[in-house]
Structures are given as C-alpha cells and as structure tokens.
Amino acid sequence: GENVGLHLPTLSVQEGDNSIINCAYSNSASDYFIWYKQESGKGPQFIIDIRSNMDKRQGQRVTVLLNKTVKHLSLQIAATQPGDSAVYFCAENNAGGATNKLIFGTGTLLAVQP
Amino acid sequence: DAGVTQSPTHLIKTRGQQVTLRCSPKSGHDTVSWYQQALGQGPQFIFQYYEEEERQRGNFPDRFSGHQFPNYSSELNVNALLLGDSALYLCASSLRLYNSPLHFGNGTRLTVT
C-alpha cells in the first residue's frame, strides 16, 4: 500500500497516553481548517474541522485548538490507541469564500507503541 | 451510503501515454476536487469541478484536464505522461457550500515507467 510516512516528522507515543500533533499554517487569511488521518494505502479521512471564529472544538477523543495570533493549529488525541497510528495532515482553506481549495501541510507520522 | 469511489486502484503507464482516472462522489455531494499526492508529501490541489465546469485550478500544466458529468461523477485526464507524474491521485467530494469538508476516496496509484 501507499507508504506516506517517508521523511515525515514522527511522534511516538505509548498506548493510552495523550497525543498532541502540531501544525503551522501559512496564510493569515485562512478561515477554515481541517485535520485528516491517512493510513497506509488509503485516502485522507476527515477527523475534525474548525472555523476561524473559534479557538477550540471537540470531537470524540479529539480536540482541535486554533491560535490565529501565531498561525498555529494542534490536534489532541486522548487515550491514544494502536488504531490511531497513521499520518496526520492539517489543511487550510484560504480561498476567501470562493471555493473549498485546501492547502495541506507536510504531515506528521503518529506511531503508537503498545 | 457509499463514500467516494475511484477507479482503477492501480495503473502502470509508459512515458508519453495518456491516462483517464474516474471518480464517483459521495452521495449528496455535487462538487469534485482532484489532488496529486507524491510519496511522503501532502496532497496538492489540481482542480475543482461543479456544475460540470472547472471552477478553480492549482499549479498544474494543461496536460492535466478534467470533466464532470451531470451525475456529478468526474474524470481526470493526463496527457503526455512524464515520470514525475507518478503519484497517488485523490478525488475528493463536498457540498458546494463554502467551508464544507472534503471527503476523499482511496485514490488511484499511477506509476509511469
């Protein structure tokens, strides 16, 4: 399958610990952000999104934090499980209302140790 | 409820040839976007279609073209293939609404030899 983990920053955590994956985005005009999970051989899977008028949003076991001052986005995963092992991408939309054109970051490989 | 489906899953072509990749969007979605993902990198936007027209385009040459059909399905065509076109090609569908999330298929792995 597709090995998307080559040359990527890697975060290694123990099963059960909390994980924090960070992302610096490029455009201060971006107003919508998404986190995706990509497993080997599969396409990116939607995890959670956040609009620029918010600074925090929670889902099931995941929380996204947005700091517009420093153009920083983070994804927190609670009680990390082996099934969370994948490459995680942040993406931003800075199309100014025109369309949904996502710009992806380089990705972080999350490795969960049992 | 079927998600985004793409075909074929794998394809091997020779330099100079042409290729057509196909995508069926998630049920209820009317907008299709295509992305290219090189090994170890994030997906890069190629173009987006809705109402059967190309609405926005990324930094890709004219060798890359597409089409959207009345049933919202889409094709990506690449002419005069280069070795550098080897990548995972991802289709994503969404609602036309601004800032609606994109849902991706599992992609077509294209290898150019």
Side-chain angles (χ1 to χ4, degrees):
Chain A
E2 169 74 14
N3 184 346
V4 296
L6 298 179
H7 312 300
L8 291 172
T10 299
L11 174 65
S12 185
V13 300
Q14 291 294 125
E15 181 179 358
D17 287 351
N18 296 333
S19 303
I20 300 176
I21 302 172
N22 296 303
C23 175
Y25 63 91
S26 60
N27 193 327
S28 57
S30 293
D31 58 5
Y32 180 60
F33 306 88
I34 305 181
W35 280 100
Y36 284 95
K37 171 186 179 183
Q38 188 171 24
E39 298 174 279
S40 183
K42 295 186 178 181
Q45 176 188 355
F46 173 85
I47 302 174
I48 191 167
D49 60 1
I50 187 168
R51 288 166 173 71
S52 59
N53 60 353
M54 304 172 68
D55 53 20
K56 180 180 180 179
R57 191 170 187 215
Q58 290 184 292
Q60 187 176 13
R61 277 200 312 120
V62 295
T63 301
V64 55
L65 299 177
L66 174 63
N67 185 331
K68 295 181 288 294
T69 302
V70 294
K71 294 191 290 185
H72 184 268
L73 196 66
S74 68
L75 177 69
Q76 301 178 0
I77 305 174
T80 312
Q81 303 168 0
D84 295 326
S85 294
V87 177
Y88 288 80
F89 291 99
C90 66
E92 61 186 292
N93 188 9
N94 55 20
T99 187
N100 296 315
K101 173 186 171 183
L102 294 180
I103 308 299
F104 281 78
T106 54
T108 297
L109 175 61
L110 176 64
V112 182
Q113 310 301 323
Chain B
D1 180 18
V4 179
T5 58
Q6 293 186 243
S7 64
T9 55
H10 294 81
L11 202 53
I12 299 174
K13 290 286 189 178
T14 304
R15 275 179 301 176
Q17 287 188 316
Q18 178 265 344
V19 68
T20 297
L21 310 181
R22 295 175 175 83
C23 172
S24 292
K26 179 180 170 70
S27 178
H29 286 180
D30 58 3
T31 300
V32 172
S33 303
W34 286 92
Y35 285 77
Q36 181 195 66
Q37 186 176 28
L39 202 60
Q41 297 182 18
Q44 285 196 294
F45 177 77
I46 303 175
F47 42 52
Q48 184 179 83
Y49 279 83
Y50 63 84
E51 293 183 344
E52 302 177 47
E53 290 189 18
E54 182 182 302
R55 299 295 179 171
Q56 191 160 355
R57 189 177 185 93
N59 188 25
F60 280 81
D62 291 345
R63 298 187 298 110
F64 289 76
S65 64
H67 189 79
Q68 186 180 35
F69 299 94
N71 67 352
Y72 308 120
S73 66
S74 178
E75 289 182 349
L76 165 65
N77 301 293
V78 187
N79 294 323
L81 284 167
L82 304 174
L83 295 179
D85 294 332
S86 295
L88 181 68
Y89 287 86
L90 294 162
C91 172
S93 73
S94 64
L95 296 173
R96 187 177 162 180
L97 298 172
Y98 184 59
N99 287 343
S100 63
L102 273 62
H103 294 262
F104 284 84
N106 285 330
T108 294
R109 163 56 77 185
L110 173 64
T111 302
V112 182
T113 62

